[in-house]
Amino acid sequence: MGYTIAQKIIKNHLLSGEMTVGSDIGLRIDQTLTQDATGTMAYLEFEAMGVPRVKTEKSVAYIDHNTLQTGFENADDHRFIQTVAKKHGIFFSRPGNGICHQVQLERFGIPGKTLIGSDSHTPTGGGIGMLAMGAGGLDVAVAMGGGAYYITMPKMVRVNLTGKLQPWVSAKDVILEVLKIMSVKGGVGKIVEYGGEGVKTLTVPERATITNMGAELGATTSIFPSDDVTKAFLKAQGREADWVELSSDADANYDEIINIDLSALIPMAACPHSPDNVKSIEEIGRKKIDQVCIGSCTNSSYLDLMRVAAILKGKTVCPSVSLSIAPGSKQVYNMLALNGALGDLIAAGARILECACGPCIGMGQSPNSAGISLRTFNRNFEGRSGTADGQIYLVSPETAAASALAGVFCDPRTLGEECVIPMPETFLINDNMVVPPIEADKMDTVEVLRGPNIKPFPATAPLNDTINAKCSLKVGDNITTDHIMPAGAKILPLRSNIPAISEYCFTVCDKQFPARAKEMKESVIVGGVNYGQGSSREHAALAPLYLGVKAVVVKSFARIHRSNLINAGILPLTFADEADYDAIDLCDELTLPDVKMCVENGTDIVIENKTKGTSIVTKCDLTDRTKAIILAGGLLNYTKENS
Ligand code: MIC
Ligand code: SF4
C-alpha cells in the first residue's frame, strides 16, 4: 500500500514508534522557529537544558508579536532573544523583518523537511510541502537540543480539490469552506492533505493561507504537494535548489475524503466568535461595518496586498471605516513600496502598520465598543481583539478591501472585472534583517542580556501519591487558550514573567480565578469538549501550574494544549462518562487517591468528590514517555533526569 505525502515525510523522520494511527511517534526535527511571545520561555528552557549549540539544520528566532514597546519589557525580551540566539546557533529575524510564518515560507522552508514552531500557525509551511507543526516552547527547546518531537500518529484526511476559483473568490474562502465542513474540532488527531486537479491552480501563498488556517480545524497539520508551482515559488525566492518533488502515492490510503469544487465556492466570512461559524457574504447582507484589518500570517502575502491595492487604487476608504494594513514581511512591504502599490494604499486612506502580528493578537487597533471588524486573520475568539464586545468576522483580502470602500459587507464579485496579479518571477531578496549566529568557537564571547522582566520558569515537583484539591473553576465547551491566558497589548509584555501573567489567567471567564486558585493552594479545573483549542502558548499551562492547578478534567482536549499540560506536569484527565461533567461543581473538595500508582500502572483515575460523597472515573491515556514526564513533574525535570 502506498503512502500519503505526510506519511512519506514521517517515515523519513521516524525516530521511534510505529506508523499506525494512535501510536506515539518520535520525529527528527530539521527546522525550528520561535516567536517572541513564546520565545523567551522557550530559550530559558533551552538554556536550562545546558545544550551549548542547537542541533537542528536551521533554527530561527523571530520578533513579530510583542512589537508594541510601551515599556521596557518587550524591548528587554527582544534583546534577550537576540543575544541568546547569537550565542547558541540560532538565526535572529529582527523586529521589522516580518511575521514568522510568512518569512519562514519565503526564506527558509524546504519541502519534505520537518519544522516545529512555538506558534500554532506553524503549519503555514505545509503550503510548500513541509511537515510543519505547532508545539509548546518546551517541545521546541527539546527539538533545538536534538531531541525528538512526539505526536500521536494522526489519521489522514484528503481534501480533493477540483475546478478553479471563480473571479474574486479567494484561498480564504477555501479554508472557510473546510472549516464549515469539519468544524473547529474536526481536525483533532488528523493531518489534512490537499490533492486533486485543483491544486495546481493555487499559488504557494494561496496554499499557505489554507494550511495556516488548518490550525483552526484543530488538525496536527495540513500539507500540499510540492510540484511545479512550488518550484516556481522557490525559484522566485532564489531557492530553486531547495525544491524536491513530493506527492502522495496513487494507492495511498486516507481515513476520510472531502471533495471541494473550487469553482462552486463563493466569498464567505467566519462570523463571531468562532472560525467555523461560516456564512456567505450574500447571506450576511449589506450590514454596516466599523473597521477592516488586513494582514496576519494568514493573508499578508505580496499577492494578497497587491490585490487589495488594485481594489483601493484611486478610491477612498469609507469615512465611517478604519482600515489598517500590516504587510506580512519586509519583502512584501518593500516590493509594494518599490512598485507604487504602497502609494495606492496610502492614498486611499489605509493606516499602514509595521510588518508584525499587530491587531491579530490585540496589539493595537482594538475596534470600538460592539464594533464590527472585518479581518483577514484566522481567529475571531471573543475578546481577542482587545474589545470585549467586538464583533470580529474573518474574511478574504478581497472581501475586506471591497467592504472598506463600501462601509458595509460587500461581496467582491460586485466589483466588476477581476484584477489579475501575476506571481512575480523574482521576489526582492534582501536578508539583511536576519542576523546569523556567532561561530561555535566564539560563543563564550556573547553575553546573554536579561531584563528585570525575565523571571525563572516556575518550579515543578514530581507527582504526589495522592492529590487533595478543590475545584477552582468549571468552564464549558471549546475553551480557547485566549480564555485561559489572554493576550493583548497589556498582558503580552508579561510573557517572560509567569508570576505576573498568572494574575490574568482565566480572567476572561472569571475575574476571581487567580485569587481563588491561590487560596485553594492545590486545585482542579473542570471543562468540556475541545478544551485548550487555539494557540500553542505554554503560558496557558504554566500560569495554572503557578497557581497550583494539579489536574484538568474535561470531555476532550485540543492537541497542543494537552501536550503543554503534560510538559508542565499537570494531569490531563478526561471523563470516562461525559455525563460526569455534572458531578463536580465549583469549590467541591476532591481527592485523587493513589494517583501516582494509577499513572504508573496506566489504570483509570478515580476522583472522589468529598463535598458530594460521590466518585467518578477518569482516563489519562499516557504513553510510556508522557507517563514518565508526568511522574517527573514535567518535561524540564524529565529531560534533566534523562540527559
Ligand atoms: C496566536 O495567534 O494566538 C498566537 C499569539 O500566535 C499564539 C502564540 C502565542 O500565544 O504566543 C499561537 O497561535 O500559538
Ligand atoms: Fe501572529 Fe496572528 Fe499569526 Fe498568531 S495568528 S502568529 S498572532 S499573525
Side-chain angles (χ1 to χ4, degrees), residues 35 37-38 65 118-121 357 360-361 378-379 384 481-482 487 492 495 534-537:
Q35 40 90 336
T38 53
H65 282 63
S118 58
D119 193 281
S120 64
H121 290 103
C357 301
C360 179
I361 192 55
N378 47 37
R379 289 189 174 140
R384 181 174 158 104
T481 52
D482 281 296
L492 275 171
R495 281 291 180 93
S535 96
S536 68
R537 62 189 73 148

